Amino acid sequence: MASVVGIFSHSSLSVPLKDKKLLEVKLGELPSWILMRDFSPSGIVGAFRRGYYRYYNKYINVKKGSIAGITMVLACYVVFNYTFSYKELKHERRRKYH
Amino acid sequence: MNQNLFTSFNVPVILGIPLVVLIILFPITLIMPSNKLINNRLSSLQQWLVQLTLKQMMMVHTNKGRTWSLMLLALISFIALNNLLGLTPYAFTPTTQLSMNLGMAIPLWAATVFMGLRFKTKASLAHFLPQGTPVPLIPMLIIIETISLFIQPMALAVRLTANITAGHLLMHLLGDTALTLMSIYMSSSTITIIIIILLITLELGVALIQAYVFTLLVSLYLHDNS
């Protein structure tokens, strides 16, 4: 997945758009890159699996995993629940007149 | 102030899509089985806890009852994880809903009863009559034992629901009290905050204990009938 470097930096010899990672895609190519992604059910499931294993292998599946690995997950869980109950929580702020 | 004290127990639904399914499935992501002999710290911790609880729970059962090990282990970890995750701020606890607890209690209890009736019919029917009862009392006692048998699943479900709901509700009320008292009497506000801290530790205990009790009772019914 590496882009071709060196004296052959002409665009006709570079990596096809489909294989580029997100940070290597130029801004003008972004819509076509998004449309080329695999949005079938197995593609979406694959994306979730890759994301899960990426987090797992970086923070938890290490020799001396610390408590931060699971604390980050719980913090995201808290934020997730807060956003989805914001509508009811709006009324609980400290105000003089509700 | 809440419009209604029970809004935190509403089932979360977004645009008609039940978000509660994701919340019930969330504890699965925290448990990661592995094939290696020596795992990362989290997996080793989980493995050690699993071995501890399994040994403790399944020691009393016969070989036939031990086929239920996986079920009981899954039950205790499911209830314990859901209760503990419900103690995080703004979280929704699925075990506060009576529907879910009934869905867990009734099939498990019914399975133990049918297992007993099928394999050890005489012995399981004999449970209805304790030894050494005076003869005139027998009809009444049979009725009482039948009622107590049928109340078992209800008691299992309602016990879990009521305990967890009561704990959450108490924490909400005390939290509101502490907040409003802060502008009036600072001292009683600090006392309330200390009470809340104690209550949180109690809730942590209750979360685990309720899971344990549920599972223990199911295993007891199993032992009677296997």
Side-chain angles (χ1 to χ4, degrees):
Chain A
M1 222 177 278
S3 45
V4 176
V5 294
I7 57 174
F8 299 105
S9 54
H10 196 267
S11 62
S12 65
L13 289 171
S14 53
V15 180
L17 181 60
K18 193 165 182 282
D19 294 329
K20 281 196 203 167
K21 291 194 198 181
L22 179 58
L23 293 173
E24 292 167 11
V25 169
K26 305 217 178 348
L27 206 58
E29 296 167 350
L30 195 59
S32 43
W33 182 86
I34 289 180
L35 289 172
M36 270 194 232
R37 300 294 290 174
D38 182 14
F39 283 118
S40 66
S42 70
I44 293 183
V45 168
F48 273 112
R49 283 189 69 157
R50 271 174 296 155
Y52 181 79
Y53 281 111
R54 204 167 127 193
Y55 184 85
Y56 181 72
N57 285 327
K58 182 166 181 197
Y59 289 108
I60 302 184
N61 203 10
V62 291
K63 210 167 175 181
K64 288 191 165 193
S66 66
I67 206 173
I70 195 165
T71 311
M72 280 196 276
V73 175
L74 288 179
C76 282
Y77 185 61
V78 169
V79 170
F80 175 79
N81 281 315
Y82 182 78
T83 51
F84 280 116
S85 47
Y86 181 70
K87 221 170 171 190
E88 275 101 39
L89 290 169
K90 213 169 35 169
H91 301 289
E92 290 179 34
R93 289 186 281 211
R94 269 183 83 95
R95 307 193 60 152
K96 202 167 162 200
Y97 303 110
H98 273 262
Chain B
M1 193 58 198
N2 274 341
Q3 326 135 297
N4 175 8
L5 195 54
F6 293 99
T7 45
S8 59
F9 296 119
N10 278 342
V11 179
V13 170
I14 298 291
L15 305 172
I17 303 169
L19 199 64
V20 64
V21 177
L22 281 179
I23 294 181
I24 291 182
L25 288 177
F26 179 65
I28 296 176
T29 63
L30 299 172
I31 299 183
M32 195 69 177
S34 152
N35 300 331
K36 303 190 203 157
L37 195 59
I38 301 179
N39 300 321
N40 50 49
R41 279 181 181 175
L42 189 66
S43 293
S44 311
L45 185 68
Q46 286 164 358
Q47 217 173 5
W48 173 73
L49 281 170
V50 158
Q51 277 173 355
L52 189 69
T53 49
L54 200 60
K55 206 164 164 185
Q56 174 75 6
M57 262 195 324
M58 300 320 274
M59 240 182 347
V60 290
H61 288 132
T62 58
N63 275 339
K64 197 160 175 56
R66 281 185 193 157
T67 52
W68 278 58
S69 310
L70 186 60
M71 182 72 220
L72 291 177
L73 192 67
L75 192 66
I76 188 173
S77 37
F78 179 64
I79 300 180
L81 273 176
N82 271 324
N83 290 348
L84 284 174
L85 280 175
L87 289 173
T88 53
Y90 305 119
F92 168 73
T93 324
T95 40
T96 53
Q97 308 298 316
L98 186 63
S99 48
M100 181 173 120
N101 295 336
L102 276 174
M104 285 196 293
I106 292 184
L108 289 168
W109 164 84
T112 61
V113 166
F114 289 143
M115 214 169 105
L117 282 177
R118 194 180 148 197
F119 294 117
K120 294 169 69 175
T121 321
K122 256 198 310 189
S124 72
L125 284 176
H127 278 308
F128 281 133
L129 196 62
Q131 261 183 344
T133 59
V135 176
L137 276 179
I138 288 181
M140 205 179 63
L141 210 58
I142 300 253
I143 294 177
I144 291 178
E145 291 282 335
T146 314
I147 293 177
S148 93
L149 180 75
F150 280 103
I151 248 184
Q152 278 173 353
M154 297 294 145
L156 271 177
V158 172
R159 180 186 303 114
L160 186 58
T161 313
N163 268 306
I164 307 293
T165 315
H168 282 306
L169 214 56
L170 208 54
M171 278 199 286
H172 275 295
L173 283 170
L174 283 175
D176 270 335
T177 313
L179 204 58
T180 30
L181 278 180
M182 226 185 269
S183 48
I184 308 175
Y185 289 119
M186 196 57 161
S187 52
S188 29
S189 177
T190 43
I191 292 178
T192 320
I193 290 181
I194 292 175
I195 294 180
I196 292 178
I197 294 176
L198 291 175
L199 207 61
I200 290 176
T201 38
L202 176 67
E203 282 305 307
L204 286 171
V206 167
L208 297 170
I209 288 171
Q210 284 306 311
Y212 174 65
V213 165
F214 197 101
T215 316
L216 191 67
L217 285 172
V218 170
S219 100
L220 199 67
Y221 302 151
L222 182 66
H223 185 62
D224 281 344
N225 289 323
S226 79

